[in-house]
Amino acid sequence: MIEIIRPADIEKRSFEIITEILGDRKLNPENELVIKRVIHTTADFDYADNLVFSDHAVSRGIEALRKGCDIVTDTQMAKAGINKTILEGLNGQVHCFMSDEDVALEAGQRGITRAAVSMEKAARLDRPCIFAVGNAPTALVALKELISNGLVKPELIIGVPVGFVNVVESKELIMECNVPYIVARGRKGGSNVAAAICNAMLYQIRR
């Protein structure tokens, strides 16, 4: 039977269904809304197990957003999906340097990916930043190196690239960086997941 639901109630009903399907599964209350937002975005309940959080990563992310930090992404898709109205109301903005001419030129000259160069460019921002990586493992590898060299200290790293080459390994690297992280262990992830995690934190501020 098709449920007759008003457009304004569709998201609410979706979250009710997610809760019903999770059943007796106990989620950490701090992480619950992030996990459910990712499931809502992907319809994939594996994220209830795959998402890994450092201690109080969500609380730290929300605190940083409240203070006006920026978000750096590795795709225009993730940038488009993040709720900029809420973020800008907190004096933050979203950056994606992947399409910048200087990034493309430098990547070509050095023989490395634009994602790596874009993380280096982001590290030069004179702003506290959350890094939300949903596509490029090389962005996470570059962040690991930048952190190790003391060139950047992210407020939070959202490490959720999707794919096969160096995806699993790059996520594990981020979990060794001694910075707050939210990681989707394994091969799953994507720009939509990165944006969903950012929005899950922003929506908690808006409430």
Side-chain angles (χ1 to χ4, degrees), residues 29-77:
E30 181 181 336
N31 305 334
E32 182 175 357
L33 292 179
V34 171
I35 294 169
K36 288 183 175 178
R37 175 65 56 181
V38 172
I39 293 172
H40 176 260
T41 297
T42 61
D44 187 342
F45 283 82
D46 284 352
Y47 285 105
D49 298 304
N50 295 348
L51 285 175
V52 182
F53 302 77
S54 64
D55 289 343
H56 303 298
V58 174
S59 296
R60 291 182 180 187
I62 290 173
E63 181 182 1
L65 290 166
R66 285 188 189 277
K67 292 179 178 178
C69 83
D70 288 355
I71 298 175
V72 175
T73 79
D74 65 328
T75 65
Q76 297 294 340
M77 183 185 206

Side-chain angles (χ1 to χ4, degrees), residues 91-145:
N91 297 316
Q93 56 184 310
V94 186
H95 306 277
C96 179
F97 301 124
M98 291 288 287
S99 302
D100 290 8
E101 289 185 10
D102 59 331
V103 169
L105 179 63
E106 184 174 346
Q109 291 173 339
R110 294 167 59 189
I112 63 176
T113 67
R114 285 182 298 155
V117 177
S118 70
M119 294 300 109
E120 293 174 359
K121 183 172 182 176
R124 296 192 292 271
L125 289 170
D126 189 23
R127 299 273 298 172
C129 291
I130 289 172
F131 288 79
V133 176
N135 183 67
T138 54
L140 295 184
V141 175
L143 279 174
K144 163 75 170 174
E145 185 173 346

Side-chain angles (χ1 to χ4, degrees), residues 117-193:
V117 177
S118 70
M119 294 300 109
E120 293 174 359
K121 183 172 182 176
R124 296 192 292 271
L125 289 170
D126 189 23
R127 299 273 298 172
C129 291
I130 289 172
F131 288 79
V133 176
N135 183 67
T138 54
L140 295 184
V141 175
L143 279 174
K144 163 75 170 174
E145 185 173 346
L146 289 163
I147 292 165
S148 297
N149 291 330
L151 297 175
V152 69
K153 187 174 182 181
E155 298 293 319
L156 170 69
I157 296 178
I158 298 167
V160 294
V162 60
F164 299 94
V165 179
N166 293 326
V167 167
V168 174
E169 295 82 358
S170 67
K171 293 173 181 177
E172 296 297 321
L173 280 178
I174 289 305
M175 296 170 67
E176 301 169 0
C177 283
N178 197 31
V179 298
Y181 64 78
I182 301 172
V183 164
R185 259 187 162 151
R187 302 193 185 282
K188 291 185 177 182
S191 298
N192 59 334
V193 175

